[in-house]
Amino acid sequence: MKDREAKKIPDREALPPAWEEKLRSGKVKVTPNRRRVLGRFLDADAPWTLKSLHRALNEGEACELSSVYRALSAFRTAGLLEEFRLPGKRETYYSLLRPSAGRRGQGKSSGHDHHHHHIVCQDCGTVSHLDVCVPTALLGRVEDASGFRVTEHHLEFKGLCGACR
Amino acid sequence: MKDREAKKIPDREALPPAWEEKLRSGKVKVTPNRRRVLGRFLDADAPWTLKSLHRALNEGEACELSSVYRALSAFRTAGLLEEFRLPGKRETYYSLLRPSAGRRGQGKSSGHDHHHHHIVCQDCGTVSHLDVCVPTALLGRVEDASGFRVTEHHLEFKGLCGACR
DNA sequence: GATGCAAATGCAAGCTACTTGCATCTAGGA
DNA sequence: TCCTAGATGCAAGTAGCTTGCATTTGCATC
Ligand SMILES: [Mn+2]
Ligand SMILES: [Mn+2]
Ligand SMILES: [Zn+2]
Ligand SMILES: [Zn+2]
């Protein structure tokens, strides 16, 4: 998809067709609000909170907090987002679940796909994405030790970023 | 101090000397409320939330929610507890940081020490403790990839327990 | 054993981060 | 174009802490 008219500006009024498709197949109607919400996740490859997203959106067009909230819930149900929480932080974070690294990045993919984890600076709060994941061997040990069938895991690191050391 | 009058009942009015010591050296005054709070962590080796702890305590003597809250904060500052949060749950969880496995368990140690992780049943909510931890090699990869110095991590698993499968 | 004060407690009020109800509007299939 | 399930704005409600303040208490000191 080396489409004509290369996108110079991340246009909030149009989403990559693959994502529109994902929304529709998840029974989620595509509206201007939702294009803006998803657009944010597509340009800024960072975790968002309800409030940070709302603030970011309202620097442009107005959009109600509760609508952002409902968009996030709908996207999560449709499997586009995952949520996580961090110790010491009150808010819920959301990050985009990218469709498992097609061999050719479309647009400004910043290098991680689908499931991944984060590290947060304990000083400045900067969040960085990590492509590392829990080794399969560890998952096996967890299942053996607990008798549970593991379906999901969440791993967060805390530390000092390059600037704050 | 192999004191006379061996403890037959886990008496909420007395704490193991090692723990009283930890409290005092952390500048935390030892009071009846705090003995009860810490006592709960000592008998039930499970994560507690502010509210679940408050409920459990008020089946015995009354104790204010805000006092439990402040006890938890003090204990955390003193390094006796760690807190964590789970995706999809609103409350903060606290679990005891046991002093790294002395060669002889005192009392009813249920088998894990200091830092560890948990798995939660997505059906019934049962929480199980895990002695597994993130491999050192993974920590190294995280530091290399992110440029952060890692100081802390949190790992939670979700799944189906033996009963719920 | 009495004293003094920093720290803990109870109680109430306040706050943040959602979460929901409802009347109105609209995306998108027929 | 029409119809209706679902989306939106607005406002009110709730959970889970969090803090202020007057009073009490642990405990170091005398
Ligand atoms: Mn990410
Ligand atoms: Mn535990
Ligand atoms: Zn930093
Ligand atoms: Zn279960």
Side-chain angles (χ1 to χ4, degrees):
Chain A
M1 194 181 286
K2 73 246 301 297
D3 60 331
R4 56 290 180 68
E5 191 101 342
K7 62 187 70 147
K8 23 188 78 160
I9 296 168
D11 185 349
R12 223 48 22 78
E13 298 309 313
L15 290 174
W19 288 101
E20 296 237 346
E21 170 53 27
K22 270 202 142 190
L23 287 176
R24 295 220 167 77
S25 75
K27 309 286 177 199
V28 176
K29 283 186 183 171
V30 179
T31 68
N33 274 344
R34 288 172 173 193
R35 267 190 277 261
R36 283 191 284 265
V37 170
L38 186 48
R40 280 296 170 167
F41 282 96
L42 292 169
D43 358 290
D45 187 23
W48 292 95
T49 65
L50 174 59
K51 198 191 292 186
S52 71
L53 196 46
H54 182 235
R55 244 193 322 265
L57 291 173
N58 285 348
E59 287 167 5
E61 327 263 321
C63 178
E64 256 301 303
L65 183 75
S66 63
S67 299
V68 179
Y69 171 75
R70 286 187 271 225
L72 291 172
S73 302
F75 291 179
R76 202 171 52 70
T77 301
L80 280 73
L81 296 180
E82 69 176 356
E83 68 175 69
F84 59 95
R85 316 199 72 187
L86 298 172
K89 304 269 187 171
R90 305 184 53 163
E91 292 171 275
T92 300
Y93 292 77
Y94 299 84
S95 63
L96 193 61
L97 290 174
R98 293 178 184 270
S100 218
R103 67 264 172 269
R104 172 215 43 214
Q106 77 245 66
K108 50 170 302 193
S109 163
S110 77
H112 71 268
D113 43 73
H114 199 69
H115 174 80
H116 63 279
H117 302 288
H118 301 101
I119 182 163
V120 186
C121 179
Q122 61 199 192
D123 251 46
C124 69
T126 301
V127 178
S128 206
H129 310 279
L130 299 170
D131 281 325
V132 306
C133 194
V134 174
T136 317
L138 183 59
L139 290 178
R141 290 214 290 133
V142 168
E143 299 202 324
D144 291 347
S146 65
F148 280 57
R149 164 82 46 82
V150 175
T151 58
E152 201 179 307
H153 68 267
H154 296 271
L155 172 61
E156 305 297 333
F157 296 90
K158 228 166 158 176
L160 286 167
C161 74
C164 291
R165 294 219 228 168
Chain B
M1 195 183 280
K2 67 230 327 279
D3 61 330
R4 54 286 180 74
E5 194 102 339
K7 62 186 72 148
K8 25 187 77 161
I9 296 167
D11 185 350
R12 225 39 34 70
E13 299 309 313
L15 290 173
W19 287 101
E20 296 237 346
E21 170 54 26
K22 271 202 142 189
L23 286 176
R24 294 221 168 75
S25 75
K27 310 287 178 199
V28 176
K29 284 185 182 171
V30 179
T31 67
N33 275 343
R34 288 171 171 194
R35 266 190 278 261
R36 284 190 283 265
V37 170
L38 186 48
R40 281 297 170 165
F41 281 96
L42 293 169
D43 2 286
D45 188 24
W48 292 95
T49 64
L50 175 59
K51 197 191 294 187
S52 70
L53 196 46
H54 182 236
R55 244 193 323 265
L57 291 173
N58 286 347
E59 286 167 4
E61 328 262 322
C63 179
E64 256 301 303
L65 183 76
S66 63
S67 299
V68 179
Y69 171 75
R70 285 187 272 225
L72 291 171
S73 302
F75 291 179
R76 203 172 51 72
T77 301
L80 279 74
L81 296 179
E82 68 177 356
E83 68 175 69
F84 59 95
R85 317 198 70 188
L86 298 172
K89 303 270 187 171
R90 303 183 56 161
E91 293 171 274
T92 300
Y93 292 77
Y94 299 84
S95 62
L96 193 61
L97 290 174
R98 293 177 184 270
S100 220
R103 68 265 173 268
R104 173 214 44 215
Q106 76 245 66
K108 50 169 300 190
S109 163
S110 78
H112 71 269
D113 43 75
H114 199 70
H115 174 81
H116 62 280
H117 303 288
H118 301 101
I119 183 163
V120 185
C121 179
Q122 62 198 192
D123 250 45
C124 69
T126 301
V127 178
S128 207
H129 310 279
L130 299 170
D131 282 324
V132 306
C133 194
V134 174
T136 317
L138 183 59
L139 290 177
R141 291 214 289 132
V142 168
E143 298 201 325
D144 291 348
S146 64
F148 280 56
R149 163 83 45 82
V150 175
T151 58
E152 201 179 309
H153 67 269
H154 295 270
L155 173 60
E156 305 297 332
F157 296 90
K158 228 166 159 176
L160 286 167
C161 75
C164 292
R165 294 218 228 169

Tab-separated table of all heavy atoms in Angstrom, chain B residues 24 29-30 50-51 66 69-70 91-92, chain D residues 15-21 25-27:
chain	number	residue	atom	x	y	z
B	24	ARG	N	9.414	-0.386	64.464
B	24	ARG	CA	10.064	0.676	65.240
B	24	ARG	C	11.245	1.257	64.486
B	24	ARG	O	11.450	2.466	64.471
B	24	ARG	CB	10.528	0.131	66.591
B	24	ARG	CG	9.372	-0.274	67.492
B	24	ARG	CD	9.582	0.126	68.931
B	24	ARG	NE	8.326	-0.040	69.669
B	24	ARG	CZ	7.832	-1.216	70.043
B	24	ARG	NH1	8.472	-2.340	69.757
B	24	ARG	NH2	6.693	-1.275	70.707
B	29	LYS	N	5.137	3.875	64.945
B	29	LYS	CA	4.723	3.493	66.297
B	29	LYS	C	3.859	2.246	66.273
B	29	LYS	O	3.044	2.054	65.367
B	29	LYS	CB	3.949	4.626	66.954
B	29	LYS	CG	4.817	5.766	67.425
B	29	LYS	CD	3.981	6.769	68.173
B	29	LYS	CE	4.843	7.946	68.595
B	29	LYS	NZ	4.026	9.043	69.146
B	30	VAL	N	4.047	1.413	67.283
B	30	VAL	CA	3.277	0.185	67.362
B	30	VAL	C	2.035	0.425	68.216
B	30	VAL	O	2.135	0.747	69.393
B	30	VAL	CB	4.118	-0.942	67.978
B	30	VAL	CG1	3.284	-2.216	68.069
B	30	VAL	CG2	5.368	-1.171	67.135
B	50	LEU	N	-7.451	-2.164	50.736
B	50	LEU	CA	-7.870	-1.339	51.864
B	50	LEU	C	-9.212	-1.795	52.389
B	50	LEU	O	-9.396	-2.007	53.586
B	50	LEU	CB	-7.950	0.124	51.399
B	50	LEU	CG	-8.485	1.119	52.415
B	50	LEU	CD1	-7.633	1.123	53.682
B	50	LEU	CD2	-8.536	2.520	51.804
B	51	LYS	N	-10.147	-2.000	51.485
B	51	LYS	CA	-11.491	-2.311	51.940
B	51	LYS	C	-11.620	-3.716	52.494
B	51	LYS	O	-12.285	-3.934	53.508
B	51	LYS	CB	-12.503	-2.117	50.806
B	51	LYS	CG	-13.926	-2.023	51.344
B	51	LYS	CD	-14.977	-2.090	50.256
B	51	LYS	CE	-14.907	-0.882	49.359
B	51	LYS	NZ	-16.030	-0.838	48.394
B	66	SER	N	-9.822	5.086	57.566
B	66	SER	CA	-8.699	5.995	57.339
B	66	SER	C	-7.480	5.584	58.162
B	66	SER	O	-6.351	5.830	57.749
B	66	SER	CB	-9.080	7.439	57.645
B	66	SER	OG	-9.423	7.593	59.001
B	69	TYR	N	-5.929	2.838	56.233
B	69	TYR	CA	-5.247	3.469	55.101
B	69	TYR	C	-3.893	4.019	55.522
B	69	TYR	O	-2.869	3.782	54.875
B	69	TYR	CB	-6.121	4.601	54.552
B	69	TYR	CG	-5.429	5.456	53.532
B	69	TYR	CD1	-5.228	5.000	52.238
B	69	TYR	CD2	-4.961	6.725	53.870
B	69	TYR	CE1	-4.591	5.786	51.294
B	69	TYR	CE2	-4.320	7.517	52.930
B	69	TYR	CZ	-4.134	7.045	51.650
B	69	TYR	OH	-3.501	7.820	50.725
B	70	ARG	N	-3.887	4.732	56.657
B	70	ARG	CA	-2.622	5.333	57.074
B	70	ARG	C	-1.637	4.279	57.564
B	70	ARG	O	-0.428	4.424	57.403
B	70	ARG	CB	-2.887	6.431	58.097
B	70	ARG	CG	-3.458	7.668	57.376
B	70	ARG	CD	-3.600	8.888	58.265
B	70	ARG	NE	-4.885	8.914	58.935
B	70	ARG	CZ	-5.657	10.007	59.038
B	70	ARG	NH1	-5.261	11.166	58.530
B	70	ARG	NH2	-6.811	9.959	59.659
B	91	GLU	N	-9.215	-1.373	42.715
B	91	GLU	CA	-8.526	-1.158	43.981
B	91	GLU	C	-7.031	-1.442	43.929
B	91	GLU	O	-6.543	-2.198	43.090
B	91	GLU	CB	-9.166	-2.021	45.062
B	91	GLU	CG	-10.574	-1.589	45.389
B	91	GLU	CD	-11.280	-2.567	46.295
B	91	GLU	OE1	-11.866	-3.542	45.767
B	91	GLU	OE2	-11.241	-2.377	47.538
B	92	THR	N	-6.338	-0.856	44.879
B	92	THR	CA	-4.918	-1.118	45.063
B	92	THR	C	-4.765	-2.322	45.994
B	92	THR	O	-5.471	-2.431	46.992
B	92	THR	CB	-4.243	0.107	45.701
B	92	THR	OG1	-4.413	1.217	44.829
B	92	THR	CG2	-2.764	-0.130	45.933
D	15	DA	P	-20.712	2.857	45.186
D	15	DA	OP1	-21.231	1.479	45.228
D	15	DA	OP2	-20.852	3.760	46.357
D	15	DA	O5'	-19.162	2.782	44.795
D	15	DA	C5'	-18.810	2.329	43.481
D	15	DA	C4'	-17.307	2.290	43.376
D	15	DA	O4'	-16.785	3.629	43.243
D	15	DA	C3'	-16.585	1.685	44.584
D	15	DA	O3'	-15.454	0.999	44.081
D	15	DA	C2'	-16.236	2.900	45.436
D	15	DA	C1'	-15.976	3.969	44.365
D	15	DA	N9	-16.362	5.339	44.721
D	15	DA	C8	-17.443	5.745	45.447
D	15	DA	N7	-17.556	7.049	45.553
D	15	DA	C5	-16.463	7.523	44.835
D	15	DA	C6	-16.005	8.814	44.557
D	15	DA	N6	-16.613	9.918	44.982
D	15	DA	N1	-14.889	8.934	43.821
D	15	DA	C2	-14.286	7.830	43.385
D	15	DA	N3	-14.605	6.563	43.570
D	15	DA	C4	-15.725	6.477	44.318
D	16	DG	P	-14.492	0.182	45.114
D	16	DG	OP1	-13.904	-0.947	44.370
D	16	DG	OP2	-15.215	-0.021	46.390
D	16	DG	O5'	-13.348	1.252	45.361
D	16	DG	C5'	-12.529	1.666	44.280
D	16	DG	C4'	-11.564	2.690	44.802
D	16	DG	O4'	-12.279	3.908	45.071
D	16	DG	C3'	-10.877	2.296	46.124
D	16	DG	O3'	-9.508	2.656	46.028
D	16	DG	C2'	-11.602	3.149	47.148
D	16	DG	C1'	-11.869	4.392	46.328
D	16	DG	N9	-12.869	5.314	46.843
D	16	DG	C8	-13.995	5.033	47.568
D	16	DG	N7	-14.691	6.101	47.895
D	16	DG	C5	-13.971	7.144	47.327
D	16	DG	C6	-14.219	8.540	47.340
D	16	DG	O6	-15.150	9.146	47.862
D	16	DG	N1	-13.227	9.250	46.660
D	16	DG	C2	-12.143	8.686	46.035
D	16	DG	N2	-11.284	9.506	45.435
D	16	DG	N3	-11.900	7.377	46.019
D	16	DG	C4	-12.849	6.676	46.684
D	17	DC	P	-8.457	1.877	46.965
D	17	DC	OP1	-7.127	2.128	46.368
D	17	DC	OP2	-8.915	0.518	47.226
D	17	DC	O5'	-8.575	2.693	48.355
D	17	DC	C5'	-7.633	3.678	48.695
D	17	DC	C4'	-7.840	4.921	47.866
D	17	DC	O4'	-9.199	5.365	48.023
D	17	DC	C3'	-6.954	6.067	48.296
D	17	DC	O3'	-6.412	6.696	47.145
D	17	DC	C2'	-7.897	6.989	49.057
D	17	DC	C1'	-9.202	6.745	48.333
D	17	DC	N1	-10.412	7.077	49.118
D	17	DC	C2	-10.863	8.408	49.151
D	17	DC	O2	-10.223	9.266	48.542
D	17	DC	N3	-11.977	8.701	49.859
D	17	DC	C4	-12.635	7.749	50.495
D	17	DC	N4	-13.739	8.095	51.169
D	17	DC	C5	-12.199	6.385	50.491
D	17	DC	C6	-11.090	6.093	49.783
D	18	DT	P	-4.928	7.429	47.335
D	18	DT	OP1	-4.501	7.959	46.033
D	18	DT	OP2	-4.065	6.515	48.094
D	18	DT	O5'	-5.257	8.680	48.280
D	18	DT	C5'	-5.881	9.830	47.695
D	18	DT	C4'	-6.075	10.894	48.735
D	18	DT	O4'	-7.277	10.643	49.492
D	18	DT	C3'	-4.961	11.094	49.761
D	18	DT	O3'	-4.454	12.400	49.534
D	18	DT	C2'	-5.646	10.911	51.119
D	18	DT	C1'	-7.099	11.177	50.778
D	18	DT	N1	-8.164	10.540	51.590
D	18	DT	C2	-9.205	11.342	52.025
D	18	DT	O2	-9.264	12.526	51.838
D	18	DT	N3	-10.193	10.675	52.699
D	18	DT	C4	-10.239	9.319	52.985
D	18	DT	O4	-11.196	8.856	53.593
D	18	DT	C5	-9.115	8.540	52.515
D	18	DT	C7	-9.069	7.079	52.794
D	18	DT	C6	-8.145	9.181	51.845
D	19	DT	P	-3.365	13.070	50.429
D	19	DT	OP1	-2.569	13.925	49.552
D	19	DT	OP2	-2.732	12.043	51.269
D	19	DT	O5'	-4.228	14.029	51.368
D	19	DT	C5'	-5.183	14.899	50.765
D	19	DT	C4'	-5.892	15.684	51.853
D	19	DT	O4'	-6.896	14.855	52.471
D	19	DT	C3'	-5.013	16.207	52.992
D	19	DT	O3'	-5.359	17.579	53.184
D	19	DT	C2'	-5.402	15.329	54.181
D	19	DT	C1'	-6.852	14.998	53.865
D	19	DT	N1	-7.401	13.739	54.421
D	19	DT	C2	-8.673	13.750	54.948
D	19	DT	O2	-9.350	14.749	55.008
D	19	DT	N3	-9.122	12.544	55.399
D	19	DT	C4	-8.441	11.342	55.379
D	19	DT	O4	-8.959	10.321	55.804
D	19	DT	C5	-7.111	11.406	54.817
D	19	DT	C7	-6.282	10.163	54.756
D	19	DT	C6	-6.664	12.580	54.367
D	20	DG	P	-4.536	18.496	54.116
D	20	DG	OP1	-4.161	19.702	53.347
D	20	DG	OP2	-3.502	17.693	54.814
D	20	DG	O5'	-5.659	18.912	55.174
D	20	DG	C5'	-6.941	19.356	54.710
D	20	DG	C4'	-7.784	19.782	55.909
D	20	DG	O4'	-8.434	18.616	56.478
D	20	DG	C3'	-7.009	20.418	57.057
D	20	DG	O3'	-7.848	21.399	57.658
D	20	DG	C2'	-6.726	19.237	57.986
D	20	DG	C1'	-7.981	18.379	57.797
D	20	DG	N9	-7.777	16.932	57.904
D	20	DG	C8	-6.717	16.205	57.420
D	20	DG	N7	-6.837	14.924	57.638
D	20	DG	C5	-8.049	14.795	58.297
D	20	DG	C6	-8.712	13.640	58.783
D	20	DG	O6	-8.365	12.469	58.724
D	20	DG	N1	-9.921	13.964	59.397
D	20	DG	C2	-10.419	15.228	59.524
D	20	DG	N2	-11.583	15.339	60.143
D	20	DG	N3	-9.818	16.316	59.068
D	20	DG	C4	-8.637	16.025	58.473
D	21	DC	P	-7.303	22.352	58.773
D	21	DC	OP1	-7.988	23.656	58.577
D	21	DC	OP2	-5.824	22.289	58.857
D	21	DC	O5'	-7.910	21.683	60.090
D	21	DC	C5'	-9.312	21.371	60.136
D	21	DC	C4'	-9.625	20.677	61.443
D	21	DC	O4'	-9.401	19.247	61.299
D	21	DC	C3'	-8.751	21.117	62.633
D	21	DC	O3'	-9.555	21.158	63.790
D	21	DC	C2'	-7.729	19.992	62.732
D	21	DC	C1'	-8.624	18.808	62.399
D	21	DC	N1	-7.929	17.562	61.995
D	21	DC	C2	-8.526	16.331	62.328
D	21	DC	O2	-9.607	16.314	62.917
D	21	DC	N3	-7.893	15.183	61.985
D	21	DC	C4	-6.716	15.241	61.346
D	21	DC	N4	-6.136	14.086	61.024
D	21	DC	C5	-6.099	16.486	61.003
D	21	DC	C6	-6.737	17.614	61.344
D	25	DT	P	-6.599	7.279	74.464
D	25	DT	OP1	-7.322	6.008	74.265
D	25	DT	OP2	-6.508	7.942	75.795
D	25	DT	O5'	-5.122	7.079	73.904
D	25	DT	C5'	-4.943	6.701	72.535
D	25	DT	C4'	-3.462	6.538	72.276
D	25	DT	O4'	-2.830	7.822	72.101
D	25	DT	C3'	-2.686	5.845	73.397
D	25	DT	O3'	-1.747	5.010	72.749
D	25	DT	C2'	-1.989	6.996	74.103
D	25	DT	C1'	-1.678	7.893	72.910
D	25	DT	N1	-1.446	9.333	73.147
D	25	DT	C2	-0.481	9.978	72.396
D	25	DT	O2	0.212	9.412	71.579
D	25	DT	N3	-0.360	11.330	72.640
D	25	DT	C4	-1.082	12.068	73.530
D	25	DT	O4	-0.892	13.275	73.645
D	25	DT	C5	-2.084	11.350	74.293
D	25	DT	C7	-2.924	12.066	75.296
D	25	DT	C6	-2.206	10.027	74.072
D	26	DG	P	-1.196	3.663	73.365
D	26	DG	OP1	-1.946	2.521	72.807
D	26	DG	OP2	-1.128	3.857	74.838
D	26	DG	O5'	0.274	3.629	72.775
D	26	DG	C5'	0.468	3.509	71.357
D	26	DG	C4'	1.850	4.011	70.994
D	26	DG	O4'	1.986	5.397	71.376
D	26	DG	C3'	3.019	3.282	71.641
D	26	DG	O3'	4.062	3.269	70.680
D	26	DG	C2'	3.348	4.160	72.852
D	26	DG	C1'	3.034	5.557	72.322
D	26	DG	N9	2.534	6.534	73.280
D	26	DG	C8	1.542	6.363	74.213
D	26	DG	N7	1.250	7.453	74.881
D	26	DG	C5	2.099	8.404	74.348
D	26	DG	C6	2.249	9.781	74.672
D	26	DG	O6	1.622	10.448	75.499
D	26	DG	N1	3.249	10.395	73.904
D	26	DG	C2	3.996	9.749	72.947
D	26	DG	N2	4.898	10.492	72.317
D	26	DG	N3	3.867	8.472	72.623
D	26	DG	C4	2.908	7.855	73.368
D	27	DC	P	5.299	2.305	70.795
D	27	DC	OP1	5.841	2.058	69.444
D	27	DC	OP2	4.892	1.180	71.653
D	27	DC	O5'	6.347	3.221	71.585
D	27	DC	C5'	6.816	4.426	70.969
D	27	DC	C4'	7.602	5.249	71.967
D	27	DC	O4'	6.722	6.058	72.774
D	27	DC	C3'	8.467	4.461	72.963
D	27	DC	O3'	9.695	5.147	73.115
D	27	DC	C2'	7.665	4.574	74.256
D	27	DC	C1'	7.188	5.993	74.100
D	27	DC	N1	6.109	6.455	74.997
D	27	DC	C2	5.992	7.835	75.242
D	27	DC	O2	6.790	8.606	74.700
D	27	DC	N3	5.022	8.281	76.072
D	27	DC	C4	4.187	7.409	76.637
D	27	DC	N4	3.235	7.901	77.437
D	27	DC	C5	4.289	5.998	76.421
D	27	DC	C6	5.260	5.576	75.597
